[in-house]
């Protein structure tokens, strides 16, 4: 049920999220990253979002994520591998094949994120709380009784594992 509801909202508002992010960032590839982050967050908060307000949520959250991305310019922004860049050089038109490719890539990332929980629940929870739920890293680290630096190391290891999984799936 949740996946079906998510798919409907994704199909309706993904392009809208891209356009909002692009209007702030002015970079097509980074806008796609922001839009995917928006829908990843939405998947985990879907129970909290009323269906009639889904469009408004996507609009406001896309804008907020894009603005936050720009404000955090002092941070190192991660870029996708060459294989992902080749596949993401797409036009903004309504080509159904390209939309399916984007949707499949988003699904793969979500599947990998769910598999992360099976591999290491601590990594999963750290990423979920700091990245998806945007909780304060200091409070998350204190909940686990670890330093912020060690927590960031764990998150980095989790992201590396996820990237490796995505690349290996892409090669298949």
């Amino acid at each position: 049920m949740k996946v079906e509801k998510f798919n409907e909202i994704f199909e309706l508002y993904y392009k809208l999220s891209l356009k909002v992010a692009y209007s702030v960032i002015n970079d097509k590839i980074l806008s796609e990253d922001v839009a995917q982050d928006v829908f990843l967050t939405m998947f985990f908060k879907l129970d909290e979002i009323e269906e009639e307000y889904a469009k408004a949520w996507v609009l406001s959250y896309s804008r907020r994520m894009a603005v936050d991305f720009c404000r955090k310019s002092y941070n190192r922004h991660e870029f996708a591998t060459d294989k992902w860049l080749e596949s993401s050089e797409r036009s903004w038109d309504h080509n159904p094949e390209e939309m399916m490719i984007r949707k499949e890539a988003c699904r793969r990332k979500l599947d990998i994120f769910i598999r992360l929980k099976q591999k290491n629940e601590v990594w999963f929870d750290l990423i979920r709380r700091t990245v998806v739920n945007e909780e304060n890293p200091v409070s998350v680290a204190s909940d686990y009784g670890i330093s912020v630096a060690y927590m960031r190391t764990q998150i980095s290891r989790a992201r590396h594992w996820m990237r490796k999984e995505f690349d290996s799936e892409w090669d298949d």
Side-chain angles (χ1 to χ4, degrees):
M1 180 69 137
K2 182 177 180 178
V3 175
E4 292 170 0
K5 182 179 173 185
F6 175 78
N7 286 340
E8 288 177 26
I9 294 171
F10 180 87
E11 287 178 25
L12 287 172
Y13 303 123
Y14 181 76
K15 191 174 270 315
L16 180 64
S17 178
L18 279 173
K19 288 180 182 180
V20 169
Y22 185 79
S23 72
V24 174
I25 298 174
N26 292 323
D27 185 296
K28 187 171 135 184
I29 294 172
L30 296 177
S31 298
E32 288 178 349
D33 290 344
V34 168
Q36 287 180 358
D37 287 345
V38 166
F39 281 95
L40 181 63
T41 302
M42 177 180 250
F43 182 80
F44 289 103
K45 294 185 175 187
L46 203 55
D47 295 333
E48 301 169 20
I49 302 168
E50 293 183 35
E51 197 166 342
E52 63 191 55
Y53 299 117
K55 181 178 180 180
W57 188 93
V58 168
L59 281 170
S60 64
Y61 202 72
S62 297
R63 177 154 176 73
R64 192 176 99 203
M65 290 277 292
V67 168
D68 286 349
F69 182 87
C70 291
R71 283 186 184 153
K72 294 178 183 176
S73 62
Y74 60 90
N75 286 336
R76 176 181 57 97
H77 296 297
E78 295 182 13
F79 291 93
T81 64
D82 291 340
K83 293 174 190 172
W84 172 249
L85 290 174
E86 290 169 8
S87 71
S88 58
E89 292 173 0
R90 304 177 184 97
S91 63
W92 289 86
D93 62 3
H94 294 280
N95 186 336
E97 183 178 334
E98 291 174 1
M99 285 296 290
M100 291 304 294
I101 290 170
R102 268 190 234 132
K103 187 175 180 182
E104 183 60 32
C106 192
R107 274 202 184 122
R108 276 194 208 136
K109 289 178 182 180
L110 186 59
D111 288 342
I112 290 169
F113 188 64
I114 292 169
R115 283 199 321 249
L116 176 66
K117 184 175 184 178
Q118 297 167 346
K119 171 152 179 65
N120 189 323
E121 284 194 40
V122 173
W123 285 358
F124 174 84
D125 197 47
L126 290 174
I127 288 180
R128 183 187 57 81
R129 290 181 65 187
T130 58
V131 178
V132 177
N133 294 346
E134 298 176 343
E135 290 183 39
N136 183 346
V138 175
S139 67
V140 173
S142 69
D143 288 349
Y144 277 92
I146 58 177
S147 69
V148 175
Y150 182 72
M151 181 188 71
R152 288 189 176 132
T153 301
Q154 294 299 306
I155 289 172
S156 175
R157 288 178 183 166
R159 285 181 171 166
H160 176 75
W161 180 85
M162 291 171 69
R163 239 181 267 119
K164 191 171 130 184
E165 288 292 306
F166 185 79
D167 289 345
S168 68
E169 278 190 12
W170 197 267
D171 290 337
D172 292 344

